[in-house]
Amino acid sequence: RKEVEQDPGPFNVPEGATVAFNCTYSNSASQSFFWYRQDCRKEPKLLMSVYSSGNEDGRFTAQLNRASQYISLLIRDSKLSDSATYLCVVTKSPIAGDMRFGAGTRLTVKP
Amino acid sequence: NAGVTQTPKFRVLKTGQSMTLLCAQDMNHEYMYWYRQDPGMGLRLIHYSVGEGTTAKGEVPDGYNVSRLKKQNFLLGLESAAPSQTSVYFCANRDPNTDTQYFGPGTRLTVL
């Protein structure tokens, strides 16, 4: 079983739609959680951290459920520019080499 | 600021050839990483370093070696390339205060 699992998609949604991704992790000792965005043939870039109480950044909302060991990302009012692959990342900070990446969920927003 | 840079951007090797990938940072972070990314697999950690002169193995270290002689540079070496090493290689550093990783643009390597 992979340490971090994501639905690979693809998710194809129209502009303006709301879309949600989930990510499950297997290590209950995980402490830090992130969503990264990766555009086609580019490097991953941090989208947002995920805090225990949940957090919002504009149209993006991230939530953590420690009991069920999953994190989620909600995108409201999807834009064409949101088309990308979204990577879930889990780490047992502050151990240096412990970051684990999901394989990513691909999102395409269509006009 | 350039952030994290990688050279080369593309490379084609024949089986058995060797090469070195260079990663450089101007962000002064202690932690640096080398990952490979393959379709459907996500990023997998090859080796990492917690500071100048230190290196450690990650999830998939076999067939690779690394060196961190200077804080700003992290080198990844392939001594005898194999087709299974065809991949996209990303270097990254890590801000210990936020756990954020900053990635280089990647190196696309094909081994024939």
Side-chain angles (χ1 to χ4, degrees), chain A residues 79-93:
Chain A
K79 310 291 185 189
L80 296 177
S81 57
D82 293 333
S83 296
T85 296
Y86 292 84
L87 309 176
C88 170
V89 183
V90 174
T91 180
K92 300 198 301 292
S93 314

PDB file of all heavy atoms in Angstrom, chain A residues 79-93:
ATOM      1  N   LYS A  79     -11.395  28.109 -12.329  1.00  0.00           N
ATOM      2  CA  LYS A  79     -10.920  28.917 -13.460  1.00  0.00           C
ATOM      3  C   LYS A  79     -10.147  28.015 -14.422  1.00  0.00           C
ATOM      4  O   LYS A  79      -9.616  26.984 -14.031  1.00  0.00           O
ATOM      5  CB  LYS A  79      -9.989  30.029 -12.969  1.00  0.00           C
ATOM      6  CG  LYS A  79     -10.530  30.859 -11.815  1.00  0.00           C
ATOM      7  CD  LYS A  79     -11.683  31.707 -12.219  1.00  0.00           C
ATOM      8  CE  LYS A  79     -12.119  32.616 -11.068  1.00  0.00           C
ATOM      9  NZ  LYS A  79     -13.401  33.301 -11.378  1.00  0.00           N
ATOM     10  N   LEU A  80     -10.049  28.453 -15.673  1.00  0.00           N
ATOM     11  CA  LEU A  80      -9.250  27.698 -16.652  1.00  0.00           C
ATOM     12  C   LEU A  80      -7.822  27.517 -16.129  1.00  0.00           C
ATOM     13  O   LEU A  80      -7.193  26.474 -16.346  1.00  0.00           O
ATOM     14  CB  LEU A  80      -9.227  28.416 -17.998  1.00  0.00           C
ATOM     15  CG  LEU A  80     -10.564  28.551 -18.718  1.00  0.00           C
ATOM     16  CD1 LEU A  80     -10.384  29.359 -20.014  1.00  0.00           C
ATOM     17  CD2 LEU A  80     -11.162  27.192 -19.028  1.00  0.00           C
ATOM     18  N   SER A  81      -7.327  28.545 -15.441  1.00  0.00           N
ATOM     19  CA  SER A  81      -5.953  28.528 -14.948  1.00  0.00           C
ATOM     20  C   SER A  81      -5.742  27.548 -13.789  1.00  0.00           C
ATOM     21  O   SER A  81      -4.605  27.317 -13.376  1.00  0.00           O
ATOM     22  CB  SER A  81      -5.523  29.926 -14.500  1.00  0.00           C
ATOM     23  OG  SER A  81      -6.411  30.408 -13.498  1.00  0.00           O
ATOM     24  N   ASP A  82      -6.820  26.978 -13.268  1.00  0.00           N
ATOM     25  CA  ASP A  82      -6.671  25.972 -12.211  1.00  0.00           C
ATOM     26  C   ASP A  82      -6.303  24.609 -12.782  1.00  0.00           C
ATOM     27  O   ASP A  82      -5.976  23.683 -12.024  1.00  0.00           O
ATOM     28  CB  ASP A  82      -7.982  25.829 -11.416  1.00  0.00           C
ATOM     29  CG  ASP A  82      -8.327  27.065 -10.616  1.00  0.00           C
ATOM     30  OD1 ASP A  82      -7.397  27.809 -10.248  1.00  0.00           O
ATOM     31  OD2 ASP A  82      -9.538  27.290 -10.369  1.00  0.00           O
ATOM     32  N   SER A  83      -6.356  24.456 -14.088  1.00  0.00           N
ATOM     33  CA  SER A  83      -5.999  23.178 -14.723  1.00  0.00           C
ATOM     34  C   SER A  83      -4.550  22.845 -14.401  1.00  0.00           C
ATOM     35  O   SER A  83      -3.632  23.613 -14.718  1.00  0.00           O
ATOM     36  CB  SER A  83      -6.188  23.257 -16.238  1.00  0.00           C
ATOM     37  OG  SER A  83      -7.543  23.469 -16.556  1.00  0.00           O
ATOM     38  N   ALA A  84      -4.349  21.709 -13.742  1.00  0.00           N
ATOM     39  CA  ALA A  84      -3.019  21.312 -13.277  1.00  0.00           C
ATOM     40  C   ALA A  84      -3.159  19.957 -12.590  1.00  0.00           C
ATOM     41  O   ALA A  84      -4.264  19.412 -12.484  1.00  0.00           O
ATOM     42  CB  ALA A  84      -2.443  22.331 -12.292  1.00  0.00           C
ATOM     43  N   THR A  85      -2.048  19.452 -12.114  1.00  0.00           N
ATOM     44  CA  THR A  85      -2.070  18.265 -11.263  1.00  0.00           C
ATOM     45  C   THR A  85      -1.822  18.704  -9.836  1.00  0.00           C
ATOM     46  O   THR A  85      -0.908  19.500  -9.579  1.00  0.00           O
ATOM     47  CB  THR A  85      -0.999  17.251 -11.712  1.00  0.00           C
ATOM     48  OG1 THR A  85      -1.307  16.801 -13.025  1.00  0.00           O
ATOM     49  CG2 THR A  85      -0.974  16.053 -10.768  1.00  0.00           C
ATOM     50  N   TYR A  86      -2.624  18.206  -8.916  1.00  0.00           N
ATOM     51  CA  TYR A  86      -2.531  18.598  -7.518  1.00  0.00           C
ATOM     52  C   TYR A  86      -1.942  17.442  -6.716  1.00  0.00           C
ATOM     53  O   TYR A  86      -2.472  16.334  -6.718  1.00  0.00           O
ATOM     54  CB  TYR A  86      -3.908  19.012  -7.006  1.00  0.00           C
ATOM     55  CG  TYR A  86      -4.363  20.295  -7.648  1.00  0.00           C
ATOM     56  CD1 TYR A  86      -4.983  20.292  -8.894  1.00  0.00           C
ATOM     57  CD2 TYR A  86      -4.106  21.529  -7.047  1.00  0.00           C
ATOM     58  CE1 TYR A  86      -5.355  21.470  -9.523  1.00  0.00           C
ATOM     59  CE2 TYR A  86      -4.488  22.705  -7.665  1.00  0.00           C
ATOM     60  CZ  TYR A  86      -5.100  22.671  -8.897  1.00  0.00           C
ATOM     61  OH  TYR A  86      -5.458  23.852  -9.518  1.00  0.00           O
ATOM     62  N   LEU A  87      -0.830  17.732  -6.044  1.00  0.00           N
ATOM     63  CA  LEU A  87      -0.082  16.722  -5.304  1.00  0.00           C
ATOM     64  C   LEU A  87      -0.316  16.873  -3.815  1.00  0.00           C
ATOM     65  O   LEU A  87      -0.218  17.969  -3.269  1.00  0.00           O
ATOM     66  CB  LEU A  87       1.424  16.854  -5.578  1.00  0.00           C
ATOM     67  CG  LEU A  87       1.883  16.903  -7.030  1.00  0.00           C
ATOM     68  CD1 LEU A  87       3.389  17.126  -7.092  1.00  0.00           C
ATOM     69  CD2 LEU A  87       1.509  15.619  -7.742  1.00  0.00           C
ATOM     70  N   CYS A  88      -0.604  15.783  -3.173  1.00  0.00           N
ATOM     71  CA  CYS A  88      -0.759  15.745  -1.725  1.00  0.00           C
ATOM     72  C   CYS A  88       0.606  15.371  -1.121  1.00  0.00           C
ATOM     73  O   CYS A  88       1.266  14.449  -1.617  1.00  0.00           O
ATOM     74  CB  CYS A  88      -1.810  14.694  -1.407  1.00  0.00           C
ATOM     75  SG  CYS A  88      -1.989  14.242   0.309  1.00  0.00           S
ATOM     76  N   VAL A  89       1.028  16.074  -0.090  1.00  0.00           N
ATOM     77  CA  VAL A  89       2.331  15.816   0.522  1.00  0.00           C
ATOM     78  C   VAL A  89       2.171  15.682   2.031  1.00  0.00           C
ATOM     79  O   VAL A  89       1.492  16.495   2.664  1.00  0.00           O
ATOM     80  CB  VAL A  89       3.331  16.946   0.209  1.00  0.00           C
ATOM     81  CG1 VAL A  89       4.693  16.612   0.799  1.00  0.00           C
ATOM     82  CG2 VAL A  89       3.429  17.165  -1.286  1.00  0.00           C
ATOM     83  N   VAL A  90       2.806  14.677   2.571  1.00  0.00           N
ATOM     84  CA  VAL A  90       2.694  14.367   3.997  1.00  0.00           C
ATOM     85  C   VAL A  90       4.098  14.234   4.563  1.00  0.00           C
ATOM     86  O   VAL A  90       4.968  13.636   3.947  1.00  0.00           O
ATOM     87  CB  VAL A  90       1.905  13.054   4.187  1.00  0.00           C
ATOM     88  CG1 VAL A  90       1.887  12.629   5.650  1.00  0.00           C
ATOM     89  CG2 VAL A  90       0.492  13.220   3.652  1.00  0.00           C
ATOM     90  N   THR A  91       4.310  14.754   5.751  1.00  0.00           N
ATOM     91  CA  THR A  91       5.647  14.679   6.348  1.00  0.00           C
ATOM     92  C   THR A  91       5.571  14.496   7.852  1.00  0.00           C
ATOM     93  O   THR A  91       4.600  14.895   8.487  1.00  0.00           O
ATOM     94  CB  THR A  91       6.460  15.943   6.022  1.00  0.00           C
ATOM     95  OG1 THR A  91       7.750  15.829   6.608  1.00  0.00           O
ATOM     96  CG2 THR A  91       5.790  17.183   6.570  1.00  0.00           C
ATOM     97  N   LYS A  92       6.593  13.873   8.405  1.00  0.00           N
ATOM     98  CA  LYS A  92       6.720  13.716   9.862  1.00  0.00           C
ATOM     99  C   LYS A  92       7.780  14.685  10.353  1.00  0.00           C
ATOM    100  O   LYS A  92       8.787  14.307  10.893  1.00  0.00           O
ATOM    101  CB  LYS A  92       7.128  12.293  10.215  1.00  0.00           C
ATOM    102  CG  LYS A  92       6.179  11.210   9.777  1.00  0.00           C
ATOM    103  CD  LYS A  92       6.419   9.907  10.528  1.00  0.00           C
ATOM    104  CE  LYS A  92       7.830   9.365  10.349  1.00  0.00           C
ATOM    105  NZ  LYS A  92       8.093   8.908   8.978  1.00  0.00           N
ATOM    106  N   SER A  93       7.581  15.965  10.144  1.00  0.00           N
ATOM    107  CA  SER A  93       8.545  16.970  10.582  1.00  0.00           C
ATOM    108  C   SER A  93       8.989  16.691  12.006  1.00  0.00           C
ATOM    109  O   SER A  93       8.195  16.258  12.819  1.00  0.00           O
ATOM    110  CB  SER A  93       7.953  18.365  10.545  1.00  0.00           C
ATOM    111  OG  SER A  93       7.289  18.605   9.384  1.00  0.00           O
TER     112      SER A  93
END
